[in-house]
């Protein structure tokens, strides 16, 4: 299969070709590797590839034989490196498959490489010192987002139709928005973190994916959802497969709109215009849309402080564990300035301060739950501005302490973090693009706890309305593949 043919199919479509015997998994993987070779030199999204497994693929899965990439953090594949984007973990080889990796295998996915992440996933742009910056396929001078920036750039550029991603503060939705993709952050407890962890970042982090079509994300979530033995909690299983929800009509939804973010960060004009177009599209589809005010149960400064304490204490524990495992020092020779600042900040957080931060997490969850008792969804921009130029996030960052860095992250991405804190599902949908630059603009929709099905129904309807199809990243312009 030529790359020009391969990139025109989503994951479900490729699996259907395998089932019909029209193409083999080996041929698909060869096409994926060709696609990676064609574009990765310009976007730096894939940090390593390897020969595909020779094991038979699950013929009963809707994803059997589909090429796949895992993020360089959060999921371990036996015998393969997982370096967490950091010099501190350079050369680390996983001994066993994590529970999620086993589910990827059972789904029939052919995992042939890993995607870039910022160091220890501690940024919203993917520019680690270990492997260098990942570039946005729509404009290589701009960020692909983070922390799942490698996944976002690889999917947008056609290397794979869907890729593994994680989200602790927007790390899945931000790359989806930057790269013109669909990305849904599941409910806390929907996908197991086992067996080596019960929670990651005190429950703020979840596993998911980014994809070019809504159905790919839905089908993949169907394959990986559900608890593992020993999980401390889990989300109630849905009444029907998410793949079916994508094709169902969502009905007339009551959707609140929050145009300006908590904390005072103003939404820029291109994004505000895109939000207005999205509202008009929703109204034309029969939904009731109204501007709302949504309380978080905490003022913004308290919210940022509590999250800095939760994130930094977890970071400090991880760094200490890695340093002990590899016998490496914790200093500027192994960690980047913002990671090192976060580590030192986390060391200073007291037990009482950590518990108080967890209390804030509970208040945010209760406050947002009250909103979702009267509204089906909340619509916000995923981000308040267009994809930022590379280097923007780190400007002057060496002068920031751990709290200052988390304040910057929340200032640049003020709409995403509250739904990690509350544990509710949220998705970024590529509804439109900026008229001036052609850059994608993502819109975020959030729903109540456990209501991913409702989000998938709306996402499917928006996709059928077709506001985004036919656009191709500029990285493919004039490429020999014919993309």
């Amino acid at each position: 299969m030529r790359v020009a043919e391969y990139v025109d199919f989503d994951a479900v479509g490729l699996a259907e070709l395998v089932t019909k015997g029209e193409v083999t998994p080996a041929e698909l993987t060869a096409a994926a590797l060709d696609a990676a070779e064609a574009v990765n030199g310009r976007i730096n999204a894939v940090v390593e590839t390897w020969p595909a497994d020779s094991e038979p693929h699950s013929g009963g899965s809707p994803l059997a034989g589909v090429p796949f990439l895992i993020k360089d953090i959060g999921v371990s594949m036996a015998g393969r490196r997982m370096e967490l984007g950091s010099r501190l973990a350079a050369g680390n080889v996983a001994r066993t498959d994590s529970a999620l990796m086993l589910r990827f295998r059972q789904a029939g996915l052919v995992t042939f490489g890993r995607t870039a992440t910022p160091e220890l996933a501690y940024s919203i742009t993917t520019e680690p010192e270990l492997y260098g910056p990942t570039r946005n396929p729509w404009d290589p001078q701009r960020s692909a987002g983070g922390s799942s920036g490698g996944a976002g750039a690889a999917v947008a550029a056609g290397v794979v139709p869907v890729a593994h991603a994680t989200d602790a503060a927007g790390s899945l939705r931000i790359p989806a928005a930057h790269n013109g993709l669909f990305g849904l952050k599941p409910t806390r407890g929907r996908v197991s973190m086992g067996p080596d962890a019960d929670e990651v970042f005190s429950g703020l982090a979840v596993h998911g994916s980014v994809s070019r079509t809504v159905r790919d994300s839905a089908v993949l979530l169907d394959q990986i959802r559900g608890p593992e033995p020993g999980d401390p909690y889990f989300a109630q299983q849905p009444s029907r497969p998410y793949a079916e929800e994508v094709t169902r009509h969502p009905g007339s939804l009551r959707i609140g709109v929050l145009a300006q973010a908590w904390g005072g960060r103003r939404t820029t004009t291109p994004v505000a215009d895109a939000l207005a177009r999205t509202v008009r599209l929703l109204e034309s589809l029969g939904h009731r849309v109204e501007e709302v005010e949504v309380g978080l149960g905490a003022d913004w400064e308290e919210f940022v402080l509590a999250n800095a304490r939760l994130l930094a204490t977890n970071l400090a524990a991880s760094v200490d564990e890695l340093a002990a495992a590899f016998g490496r020092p914790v200093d500027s020779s192994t960690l980047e300035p913002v990671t090192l600042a976060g580590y030192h900040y986390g060391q200073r957080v007291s037990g009482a301060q950590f518990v108080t931060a967890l209390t804030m997490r509970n208040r945010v969850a209760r406050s947002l739950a009250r909103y979702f008792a009267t509204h089906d969804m909340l619509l916000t921009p995923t981000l308040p501005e267009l994809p930022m130029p590379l280097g923007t996030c780190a400007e002057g960052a060496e002068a920031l302490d751990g709290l200052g860095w988390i304040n910057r992250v929340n200032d640049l991405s003020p709409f995403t973090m509250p739904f990690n804190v509350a544990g509710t599902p949220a998705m970024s949908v590529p509804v439109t693009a900026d008229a001036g630059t052609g850059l994608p603009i993502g819109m975020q929709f959030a729903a109540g706890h456990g209501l991913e099905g409702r989000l998938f129904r709306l996402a499917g309807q928006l996709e059928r309305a077709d506001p985004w199809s036919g656009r191709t990243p500029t990285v493919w312009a004039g490429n020999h593949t014919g993309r």
Side-chain angles (χ1 to χ4, degrees):
M1 172 178 270
R2 296 187 306 115
V3 173
E5 299 170 303
Y6 166 76
V7 297
D8 282 338
F9 288 89
D10 69 355
V12 174
L14 291 174
E16 289 172 348
L17 294 180
V18 172
T19 299
K20 295 174 183 176
E22 297 180 15
V23 68
T24 67
E27 289 171 330
L28 292 182
T29 302
L33 286 166
D34 286 347
E37 183 179 0
V39 298
N40 201 53
R42 282 171 284 166
I43 60 174
N44 193 33
V46 183
V47 298
E48 183 186 15
T49 61
W50 49 72
D53 287 345
S54 58
E55 301 174 6
H57 307 293
S58 174
S61 168
L63 298 174
V66 174
F68 192 65
L69 294 167
I70 54 175
K71 188 176 176 179
D72 191 31
I73 194 170
V75 58
S76 61
M77 185 178 184
R80 300 299 179 190
R81 283 188 290 174
M82 181 181 67
E83 297 173 305
L84 297 80
S86 177
R87 292 167 293 167
L88 185 62
N92 174 52
V93 176
R95 298 190 191 90
T96 61
D97 285 345
S98 62
L100 180 59
M101 189 66 231
L102 288 172
R103 295 197 180 194
F104 288 150
R105 291 186 191 274
Q106 291 162 3
L109 293 164
V110 182
T111 302
F112 69 96
R114 56 193 172 107
T115 59
T117 181
E119 183 170 64
L120 300 177
Y122 211 62
S123 178
I124 59 171
T125 184
T126 303
E127 304 178 47
E129 290 186 15
L130 181 63
Y131 286 114
T134 295
R135 298 177 179 274
N136 192 312
W138 298 92
D139 180 352
Q141 300 308 309
R142 294 180 185 257
S143 171
S147 63
S148 304
V155 172
V159 178
V160 289
V162 60
H164 166 245
T166 66
D167 194 316
S171 289
L172 181 163
R173 288 158 288 157
I174 295 167
H178 274 13
N179 294 283
L181 303 174
F182 176 78
L184 185 144
K185 179 195 83 69
T187 296
R188 181 182 294 141
R190 178 67 68 208
V191 181
S192 177
M193 291 288 180
D196 294 330
D198 55 2
E199 291 185 332
V200 174
F201 282 126
S202 297
L204 301 182
V206 296
H207 287 291
S209 66
V210 289
S211 61
R212 294 199 302 271
T213 65
V214 177
R215 71 174 182 174
D216 277 357
S217 284
V219 168
L220 181 55
L221 187 54
D222 279 330
Q223 302 302 305
I224 64 175
R225 60 180 165 85
E228 289 286 330
D231 284 353
Y233 52 79
F234 55 89
Q236 183 178 354
Q237 293 288 68
S239 59
R240 64 178 65 88
Y242 295 131
E244 293 182 13
E245 298 285 18
V246 175
T247 64
R248 295 172 64 90
H249 193 280
S252 178
L253 301 173
R254 186 179 183 187
I255 302 174
V257 180
L258 189 69
Q260 304 298 335
W262 302 280
R265 179 61 181 264
R266 304 301 295 176
T267 299
T268 58
T269 297
V271 178
D273 291 345
L275 178 63
R277 293 197 297 273
T278 303
V279 168
R280 291 194 295 272
L281 174 62
L282 291 167
E283 290 174 335
S284 74
L285 294 171
H287 302 296
R288 296 170 292 161
V289 187
E290 60 187 0
E291 292 187 10
V292 293
E293 294 183 4
V294 182
L296 288 179
D299 63 39
W300 188 247
E301 290 73 19
E302 180 188 8
F303 178 84
V304 172
L305 175 62
N307 281 306
R309 288 170 172 171
L310 290 175
L311 293 168
T313 50
N314 280 272
L315 174 71
S318 296
V319 166
D320 283 339
E321 183 178 356
L322 291 169
F326 299 114
R328 292 170 178 162
V330 179
D331 58 27
S332 59
S333 71
T334 58
L335 292 179
E336 298 168 23
V338 297
T339 317
L340 192 59
Y343 169 77
H344 290 310
Y345 182 80
Q347 287 184 310
R348 297 192 297 270
V349 175
S350 70
Q353 289 172 331
F354 180 81
V355 172
T356 299
L358 291 176
T359 301
M360 182 281 304
R361 186 186 71 176
N362 176 65
R363 292 208 314 272
V364 172
R366 306 295 178 178
S367 182
L368 287 177
R370 287 192 291 272
Y371 167 81
F372 288 121
T374 59
H375 290 77
D376 297 306
M377 287 187 193
L378 178 64
L379 165 63
T380 77
T382 307
L383 294 161
E385 58 187 346
L386 298 175
M388 56 190 163
L390 288 167
T392 300
C393 196
E395 288 179 356
E398 65 277 357
L400 298 175
D401 64 6
L403 175 59
W405 174 249
I406 298 303
N407 188 63
R408 173 171 293 185
V409 166
N410 278 276
D411 182 58
L412 291 172
S413 180
F415 291 107
T416 54
M417 185 73 177
F419 304 105
N420 294 87
V421 175
T424 55
M427 65 182 181
S428 182
V429 182
V431 178
T432 188
D434 175 46
T437 63
L439 289 167
I441 299 175
M443 290 293 132
Q444 178 177 244
F445 295 84
H449 190 275
L451 296 179
E452 289 95 325
R454 182 176 291 172
L455 291 172
F456 276 125
R457 288 196 294 273
L458 178 63
Q461 183 187 48
L462 292 172
E463 187 175 50
R464 290 188 293 274
D466 209 25
W468 180 249
S469 68
R471 294 179 173 87
T472 301
T474 55
V475 74
W476 282 97
N479 192 277
H480 71 278
T481 63
R483 172 79 162 116

